[in-house]
Amino acid sequence: MSIARVALDVPVPFLFDYHAEHVTHDDIGARVIVPFGRNKSSGNRTERQVIGIIVEVCEESSITRDKLKPIIRILRDMPTLSPEWLALAQFCANYYQKPIGEVMLSCLPPRLRTDRPLPAPEQRFRLARPATEILAMLPERALQKRALVAQLANANISEVAHAALEPRVRALLRELVKAGDVIIDEPPRSDSGFIASHPLTLEQTTVINAIRETSGKFAVHLLFGITGSGKTEIYLHLIAQTLASGRQVLVLIPEIALTPALQTAFTTRFPGARIAIQHSAMSENERTRGWLDAQRGRADIVVGTRLAAFVPLANPGLVVVDEEQDASFKQQDGLRYNARDIAIYRASTAGIPILLVSATPSLESYQHALTQRYRLHRLSIRAHAEAKLPAVRLIDTRQHAPKHGLCAPIAEAIATRLTRGEQTLVFLNRRGYAPVLSCPACAWISSCPDCSAHLVVHLAEKRLRCHHCGHAENVPRHCPQCGNVDLQPLGRGTQRLESSLAERFPGARLLRIDADSTRSRGSLEAMLDEVHQGRADILIGTQILSKGHHFENLTLVAVLNADAGLFAADYRASERLFAQLEQVAGRAGRASLPGEVWVQTRFPGHPLYQALASHDYAGFAQSVLKERRQADFPPFVFEAALRAESETQEHALAFLQNALAIAPENQDDVTVFQPVPMALPRLARMERVQVVMQSPSRPRLQNFLRAWNSSMYGLPAKGVRWHFDIDPTEF
Ligand code: ADP
Ligand code: ZN
Ligand code: ZN
């Protein structure tokens, strides 16, 4: 008798045994439908059918034969998941302390977690024989059919083109297929190569040669270059070389918003390459098809957000992580992975190079580069001959008091741009009209009933919104506490800034780009297009605008309210602020027009701003690393957190105390801190507390966590949700 050991999406850290008559080792990695839950006879819960993955096949089970249920069906609609992919999932389960079944199923695209039919590979229609032969057999009066054959003689019909054909023409095409005159098959890879755009600079050539030396073996390259130094161009060249050797490339990017631009770049530069996009906002069919193409080796370039880190590759040759420092590579729920780290793991097991690309690397990566674990490649000049790094000016608000959020020198600088017909970006990383509504009479302020957070005023829709849980309510007409009708919005978000700029610069064309204005699908692209077409003079944007985009005519970036990030409690705040400001500064002066960045601040002497003014990431990084070393923070120690959430803080704390009581005795080099509430203690009605752990040794921290985690599942956890977060970035 054969036993299939199956991973199921269940929060317990083991596999489930099923009886499977004909299962063989070839079925390892196959998706399978199995019964799960108690039998009707033995309990009140009914049995349901769930999907799983066969991870092992063996002869013996510790479950007695009469209790062993048979599998229902093996899904053979796609190739089995490779041993490499299964090993990747196993690695994640071990490293992130998550049940293997949960990990495996959550790493699959949603469609593959169901037994619904899979999308077929992309198809094309082409002639089976020379057109002359086919035409000779067709009657003269079959005009439309003859035209169709002539069309096919010119070019194959792609699936997309097929869908756009008139039904009548589609019917004729079907007849041709039936007659054997037309064949449906998959487009092969065409080797039309790479279209180089500029001659490379000396710096670029040197870097490319150095990286090329490691092709075919594992090495982590940190490509550290100022914004506009031609980093993208470098990886395009390396991708070209990888494709030429017949291997696949995985490119991870931080934001969905950046995919269209990159997709365009790839399709124009690699006309023959098959490109698969992977992110959460695409149709299920498209995403699944791209995934399957990558698995079968039929996608040459896979581009996507963090979830693309799990796409299987038949024949990988290179991995690129663009903006490797970006916080969005860390998933903050479910499997709390860091896609950059997963990518490095994959490159190491596949024995291929990986490129981490950034103008402001994460301090983790930078420290590895300084200690030669990663190879550091610096680019210090802008590639475009006339482009220079923007000059940074710090405007002291103690000398120039802001009016309606804007101080006079910045207002003048904007006015100058308007007369010159150049664009300005006003950067304010806070959306909404005002961060809070208040009552001057009794000091009431708008707060979320479900979170420890303020409700943000959204004036256009007359709503108060919680930016953490999504709670929304109408703006009250009078104070709920004292009845005062004169409620005041406090502070300034992008919407309020927009209206004060409109008053100040009548006639200027304003465009606000933030998560609210771009909520509907495709609207961000449409807005970016407006900017490129020169149909906007002043852009008002949050961090959505800070990344990746090129605006030729943008010469001024005005940064408002960056001070808010200077003194945050989170030790990563200054690293993030610097990266963000350097990035947004990099939007100015990318082409021939010189750019300027004006920062409005009360603390112009702050070392972070001083480093920004001289674009001195290295100096900034050195000083922050020194502080981190002294204070025992990452990258000099490794961290993990055990978190508990419950409706009352008491319950959550009690759970953590119980957990601490069963923590392994042997805490070899691991420091376990006392339970504390999280920085946002209440979120969506749940009280959140955590225990943070640190160790100078990652393996010792891992050993400790593994031992602890294995006993956690026995702990009573009624009304409590708990999880480990490894390498946490939010506290
Ligand atoms: P980064 O990724 O470092 O921000 P990009 O690769 O996007 O920089 O290059 C910035 C700009 O410089 C782009 O417009 C690009 O086309 C141009 N560029 C890149 N390499 C060269 C080169 N060798 N010569 C001229 N222009 C270049
Ligand atoms: Zn009041
Ligand atoms: Zn809330």
Side-chain angles (χ1 to χ4, degrees), residues 198-201 204 226-233 383-384 550 590:
H198 325 269
L200 293 170
T201 63
Q204 285 172 321
I226 59 170
T227 52
S229 59
K231 300 184 292 296
T232 311
E233 199 61 32
H384 196 292
H550 290 210
R590 289 183 72 90

Side-chain angles (χ1 to χ4, degrees), residues 22-42:
H22 301 297
V23 77
T24 72
H25 281 92
D26 291 340
D27 295 313
I28 292 177
R31 295 180 309 142
V32 66
I33 305 288
V34 294
F36 188 72
R38 248 171 268 167
N39 280 329
K40 281 187 189 122
S41 53
S42 61

Side-chain angles (χ1 to χ4, degrees), residues 526-637:
M527 287 189 176
L528 294 175
D529 213 48
E530 293 277 289
V531 181
H532 291 298
Q533 305 289 325
R535 284 201 291 267
D537 304 311
I538 304 178
L539 321 180
I540 299 141
T542 56
Q543 48 96 23
I544 277 195
L545 269 192
S546 65
K547 290 171 198 166
H549 309 288
H550 290 210
F551 306 118
E552 295 274 314
N553 197 32
L554 183 84
T555 59
L556 174 64
V557 173
V559 177
L560 309 187
N561 205 24
D563 289 352
L566 280 184
F567 305 106
D570 182 346
Y571 64 82
R572 278 195 177 84
S574 65
E575 178 185 356
R576 286 197 198 123
L577 180 62
F578 187 90
Q580 191 173 63
L581 293 181
E582 192 60 60
Q583 231 166 25
V584 72
R587 299 310 112 216
R590 289 183 72 90
S592 46
L593 298 168
E596 284 181 354
V597 179
W598 295 44
V599 181
Q600 182 171 298
T601 171
R602 264 177 70 90
F603 311 97
H606 194 285
L608 189 148
Y609 290 138
Q610 291 299 319
L612 182 75
S614 48
H615 298 288
D616 182 17
Y617 168 82
F620 171 76
Q622 291 282 11
S623 74
V624 180
L625 282 171
K626 201 170 139 200
E627 287 167 19
R628 297 258 190 107
R629 189 193 291 276
Q630 281 164 355
D632 275 340
F633 280 130
F636 302 100
V637 297

Side-chain angles (χ1 to χ4, degrees), residues 113-129:
R113 291 175 227 156
T114 72
D115 61 352
R116 301 214 315 281
L118 300 182
E122 199 184 4
Q123 294 177 335
R124 60 162 187 180
F125 297 79
R126 66 178 177 87
L127 293 182
R129 298 178 281 136

Side-chain angles (χ1 to χ4, degrees), residues 448-453 455 466-471 683-684:
C448 178
D450 299 337
C451 303
S452 32
L455 289 178
C466 174
H467 287 186
H468 297 279
C469 74
H471 171 90
L683 174 65

Side-chain angles (χ1 to χ4, degrees), residues 122-128 148-149 151-163 165 169-170 172-178 181-187:
E122 199 184 4
Q123 294 177 335
R124 60 162 187 180
F125 297 79
R126 66 178 177 87
L127 293 182
L148 192 56
V149 172
Q151 184 187 342
L152 279 159
N154 269 329
N156 301 318
I157 294 181
S158 73
E159 191 177 314
V160 180
H162 177 254
L165 292 177
V169 183
R170 275 212 297 267
L172 291 173
L173 193 56
R174 250 193 324 271
E175 287 172 21
L176 286 168
V177 172
K178 221 167 170 186
D181 293 332
V182 167
I183 294 176
I184 307 176
D185 62 9
E186 292 173 37

Side-chain angles (χ1 to χ4, degrees), residues 113 212 370 530 548 642 697:
R113 291 175 227 156
R212 190 163 32 181
L370 293 179
E530 293 277 289
L642 171 63
S697 154

Side-chain angles (χ1 to χ4, degrees), residues 83-320:
E84 291 78 20
W85 194 90
L86 296 175
L88 171 67
Q90 188 64 61
F91 164 78
C92 289
N94 294 345
Y95 186 76
Y96 292 111
Q97 310 297 335
K98 271 277 177 191
I100 180 67
E102 273 189 356
V103 171
M104 282 199 176
L105 275 299
S106 70
C107 291
L108 291 177
R111 171 68 65 85
L112 297 181
R113 291 175 227 156
T114 72
D115 61 352
R116 301 214 315 281
L118 300 182
E122 199 184 4
Q123 294 177 335
R124 60 162 187 180
F125 297 79
R126 66 178 177 87
L127 293 182
R129 298 178 281 136
T132 44
E133 279 180 32
I134 301 171
L135 290 171
M137 305 295 292
L138 288 178
E140 283 297 332
R141 59 193 152 70
L143 290 177
Q144 274 192 309
K145 210 180 246 183
R146 297 182 76 90
L148 192 56
V149 172
Q151 184 187 342
L152 279 159
N154 269 329
N156 301 318
I157 294 181
S158 73
E159 191 177 314
V160 180
H162 177 254
L165 292 177
E166 282 177 30
R168 160 112 191 97
V169 183
R170 275 212 297 267
L172 291 173
L173 193 56
R174 250 193 324 271
E175 287 172 21
L176 286 168
V177 172
K178 221 167 170 186
D181 293 332
V182 167
I183 294 176
I184 307 176
D185 62 9
E186 292 173 37
R189 174 173 175 201
S190 80
D191 224 347
S192 30
F194 174 55
I195 299 177
S197 65
H198 325 269
L200 293 170
T201 63
L202 186 62
E203 260 190 344
Q204 285 172 321
T205 311
T206 314
V207 171
I208 290 173
N209 289 340
I211 296 174
R212 190 163 32 181
E213 273 173 29
T214 66
S215 73
K217 57 181 191 234
F218 172 59
V220 185
H221 298 275
L222 179 60
L223 187 50
F224 163 41
I226 59 170
T227 52
S229 59
K231 300 184 292 296
T232 311
E233 199 61 32
I234 289 181
Y235 72 69
L236 289 175
H237 276 259
L238 291 163
I239 289 172
Q241 288 161 10
T242 312
L243 297 185
S245 71
R247 291 179 169 236
Q248 295 169 288
V249 179
L250 172 64
V251 182
L252 300 184
I253 54 171
E255 275 201 27
I256 296 175
L258 297 172
T259 43
L262 210 55
Q263 185 173 13
T264 311
F266 284 147
T267 39
T268 48
R269 305 294 289 278
F270 303 105
R274 298 160 302 181
I275 298 161
I277 308 290
Q278 293 282 295
H279 58 69
S280 58
M282 55 202 289
S283 83
E284 216 178 73
N285 261 349
E286 243 183 308
R287 179 160 158 210
T288 311
R289 180 186 269 175
W291 196 96
L292 292 170
D293 284 346
Q295 187 200 25
R296 295 179 173 121
R298 291 197 194 117
D300 305 307
I301 306 175
V302 178
V303 192
T305 52
R306 62 172 180 257
L307 54 82
F310 298 103
V311 171
L313 296 167
N315 189 15
L318 176 69
V319 183
V320 177

